[in-house]
Amino acid sequence: MKLATLYRLARGHSIPCGKSNLFQYRCFQPDFVPRDPKSKPKRYKYPAVYEPYGPRPPPSEKIVQLAEKIKSLSPEERSQITEALHIKVSHPKLERIAVEGMDDAGTQGGARGGSAKAEDKKVEKTTFDIKLEKFDAAAKLKVIKEIRSFTDLGLKEAKELVEKAPVVLKQQVTKDEANSIIEKIKAVGGVAVME
């Protein structure tokens, strides 16, 4: 045994004068029966697939015959099965969802990707962002005052915003409102654009 273990055991026992130590140390022996060295390990039979609701019943004879018929079809006929099932069973047709940024990566393939891009271009944008591109150094104070007039920023925040140019000044505004703001900024010596 190690010296520290002996020390703990000695401190754990009561003192001869009747007082017991507050910090007692007890060694607990785990209750286990040693394995028989001659016995063989148990072999458990694990299922190939975990089924939380129990094993599934085998497919009916009708389904097996249908699978055999599909297997015997040519590849062209197999590709038409999906569309025919959608029509007969009245399932909605699954179409690709256009996601921004995914078009650039080229994940949508062929003619479908091209038609999705054409549809996106047809949809007209209704809300715009106004971005301050640049301004004349002499007109900095006028630009700050003009920005404060259509935003609810304080003087310090408006100044910091102008100094960060190019920066977005206002988001989600209508086309008419965006044009009027751009004209006001142009009049005081700044350059703003709609995005």
Side-chain angles (χ1 to χ4, degrees):
M1 290 182 132
K2 292 185 180 179
L3 187 62
T5 309
L6 287 174
Y7 175 73
R8 284 189 201 128
L9 287 172
R11 294 210 17 116
H13 293 292
S14 60
I15 301 174
C17 43
K19 293 181 181 178
S20 64
N21 194 352
L22 294 176
F23 300 106
Q24 292 183 355
Y25 179 81
R26 296 182 183 176
C27 283
F28 291 104
Q29 291 291 335
D31 296 333
F32 73 94
V33 179
R35 188 172 62 92
D36 183 19
K38 294 178 183 176
S39 68
K40 293 182 179 179
K42 291 182 181 177
R43 293 193 178 258
Y44 294 100
K45 203 172 196 181
Y46 294 108
V49 178
Y50 173 68
E51 291 287 341
Y53 303 109
R56 293 182 182 171
S60 66
E61 186 63 34
K62 191 175 184 181
I63 301 296
V64 172
Q65 290 174 359
L66 187 62
E68 288 296 325
K69 287 180 183 178
I70 292 173
K71 182 180 173 185
S72 66
L73 294 174
S74 66
E76 290 177 7
E77 291 173 328
R78 279 190 219 157
S79 65
Q80 296 172 359
I81 289 176
T82 327
E83 293 174 21
L85 279 175
H86 281 298
I87 293 167
K88 291 287 184 184
V89 185
S90 302
H91 280 298
K93 190 173 182 181
L94 300 175
E95 295 183 14
R96 291 180 179 255
I97 299 173
V99 180
E100 286 188 52
M102 296 290 279
D103 294 337
D104 299 334
T107 56
Q108 292 183 348
R112 286 186 181 175
S115 64
K117 287 179 185 176
E119 290 174 9
D120 289 342
K121 289 179 183 176
K122 289 178 186 176
V123 177
E124 190 173 327
K125 200 172 179 182
T126 56
T127 58
F128 299 91
D129 298 340
I130 302 168
K131 185 176 183 181
L132 177 68
E133 290 289 324
K134 59 184 176 179
F135 58 91
D136 295 333
K140 181 178 178 181
L141 187 61
K142 292 178 184 176
V143 172
I144 292 171
K145 286 181 181 179
E146 191 58 45
I147 287 173
R148 285 190 65 203
S149 69
F150 64 84
T151 61
D152 55 350
L153 297 174
L155 183 63
K156 183 180 177 185
E157 291 89 7
K159 181 184 175 211
E160 289 173 357
L161 189 70
V162 169
E163 288 172 350
K164 290 179 185 175
V167 67
V168 176
L169 298 175
K170 200 165 184 182
Q171 296 178 334
Q172 304 294 321
V173 294
T174 61
K175 190 172 185 177
D176 298 331
E177 187 181 353
N179 285 330
S180 67
I181 291 171
I182 289 171
E183 290 300 321
K184 289 177 185 177
I185 291 175
K186 189 186 281 186
V188 294
V191 177
V193 292
M194 243 186 322
E195 290 185 338

